[in-house]
Amino acid sequence: RYARWIDTAAIGELAPHTDEVNDQQITAANVVVLYANHQPTDIVEDLHSGGYCGYEIQLWNTGPAKLFRDGLAYDLTWVRTQRKDLIRLVGADGIVFPFKPGNTWFEVINLGSPNTLANGVFTARFKGLPQTLYCPLPPTATPTPTATVTP
């Protein structure tokens, strides 16, 4: 099984990512990393921290993927030709690659995000275009109605 870790307030320090219900570290039999283009949008998602906007994660057509299972890493391709399709992982031969029975954790990272696999540890850092460059100014307060209409 693979254990999930998250960043802490101290740069470079990790802590176990735990389940809020049972306080156990999150683990998975399979870990899939999907590499997909992240396009900044003008949809404001966070007004509390400076007006950051979201990303459109372009999970259609194909892209690179990694599957971690049974202590091994496999370089694969994810495929999703139509919006209604499920994402499939295929090998170089085009055949769907099987998962190990059990749960699966999917992690989606940007195509340009730095990532490493060293000494059995896979690390990825999100790297996208700066959100604030594309994000509109925070919306103004809703105006107070100046008149009412009665039926």
Side-chain angles (χ1 to χ4, degrees):
R1 299 197 56 88
Y2 297 91
R4 180 159 168 73
W5 297 77
I6 57 174
D7 288 324
T8 66
I11 295 175
E13 185 177 299
L14 299 175
H17 187 180
T18 57
D19 185 308
E20 187 69 30
V21 174
N22 62 21
D23 204 36
Q24 297 295 308
Q25 186 170 14
I26 295 172
T27 63
N30 305 282
V31 175
V32 176
V33 180
L34 302 176
Y35 298 83
N37 188 41
H38 287 54
Q39 185 64 40
T41 70
D42 60 356
I43 300 169
V44 179
E45 293 187 1
D46 180 6
L47 289 176
H48 303 290
S49 300
Y52 291 102
C53 284
Y55 288 94
E56 174 186 68
I57 301 173
Q58 298 175 342
L59 283 171
W60 53 81
N61 295 328
T62 66
K66 282 193 184 302
L67 168 64
F68 297 92
R69 61 165 277 189
D70 299 318
L72 299 172
Y74 299 91
D75 289 318
L76 303 169
T77 299
W78 63 262
V79 177
R80 184 174 179 228
T81 53
Q82 295 184 34
R83 227 185 166 117
K84 63 181 173 127
D85 293 343
L86 297 175
I87 292 174
R88 295 175 291 126
L89 298 181
V90 298
D93 55 6
I95 296 174
V96 174
F97 201 88
F99 290 159
K100 178 179 182 168
N103 64 335
T104 301
W105 181 276
F106 280 84
E107 192 70 35
V108 181
I109 64 174
N110 195 12
L111 289 169
S113 292
N115 58 92
T116 58
L117 177 58
N119 300 320
V121 176
F122 179 79
T123 304
R125 300 272 180 214
F126 178 77
K127 182 180 180 184
L129 296 171
Q131 294 169 314
T132 52
L133 295 178
Y134 299 94
C135 200
L137 295 174
T140 57
T142 304
T144 305
T146 56
T148 57
V149 177
T150 55

